[in-house]
Amino acid sequence: MKGYRKVLIAVNGSKEVLRQGLRLAHDERCWVTVVKVMPPYEGDLELVGIRNIEALLDSNEGITVAELKDLAREERAMIRTRIEEGDIPRKIVEVAGEERCDIIIMGAERRKGLRRFFGGGVVSRVINQAPCPVLVVEA
């Protein structure tokens, strides 16, 4: 990963994507931002009386912020975490632009051939819209 200084790791439910991304970034001593994007919430959300907003966000499926931080500690990596809400591919691309990232690392499940990559999925949309290269690791 020569030449990359700022890395964005987009996480979903896979700890392995984060682990692989942190290892690659650590080898080059890159700045790492980890983004977790949640789909937009369509219902009513009453925040009165909620003391731990992070726990509320983590109640959604996938890897929790606490797990992100624990994995970073295990890999001896310093990370900056961002929790975003909205269209997942669009938010990943926006964060990469805002953070001026040199590369995006994200995961994809192994499915039949390359059909998953070239369909209308999250990975293909990020690849087509990203302001930088995208490295896809098997989740």
Side-chain angles (χ1 to χ4, degrees), residues 27-127:
D27 291 344
E28 295 298 320
R29 299 182 186 202
C30 301
W31 292 93
V32 179
T33 299
V34 178
V35 64
K36 178 180 177 181
V37 182
M38 303 188 3
Y41 184 74
E42 301 292 329
D44 294 329
L45 180 62
E46 182 61 48
L47 295 179
V48 177
I50 295 177
R51 294 187 179 162
N52 187 348
I53 192 71
E54 192 172 283
L56 175 68
L57 293 172
D58 283 342
S59 66
N60 193 345
E61 64 185 72
I63 191 170
T64 66
V65 174
E67 289 172 319
L68 291 175
K69 292 176 182 177
D70 289 343
L71 276 169
R73 218 176 351 265
E74 285 175 23
E75 295 294 329
R76 296 186 178 127
M78 297 282 292
I79 64 169
R80 177 173 182 225
T81 57
R82 287 186 58 169
I83 306 295
E84 299 288 334
E85 178 191 15
D87 179 64
I88 295 170
R90 183 177 304 138
K91 282 295 182 180
I92 292 170
V93 170
E94 283 177 16
V95 171
E98 290 170 7
E99 298 287 334
R100 297 177 189 222
C101 292
D102 299 312
I103 190 167
I104 299 169
I105 300 174
M106 59 187 305
E109 293 178 12
R110 176 176 258 183
R111 299 243 174 129
K112 297 186 184 201
L114 295 176
R115 189 179 327 157
R116 171 96 168 125
F117 291 107
F118 297 109
V122 172
V123 172
S124 64
R125 288 179 55 200
V126 171
I127 290 170

Side-chain angles (χ1 to χ4, degrees), residues 6-17:
K6 290 186 170 185
V7 175
L8 177 68
I9 303 174
V11 297
N12 50 12
S14 171
K15 293 180 184 180
E16 192 56 31
V17 172

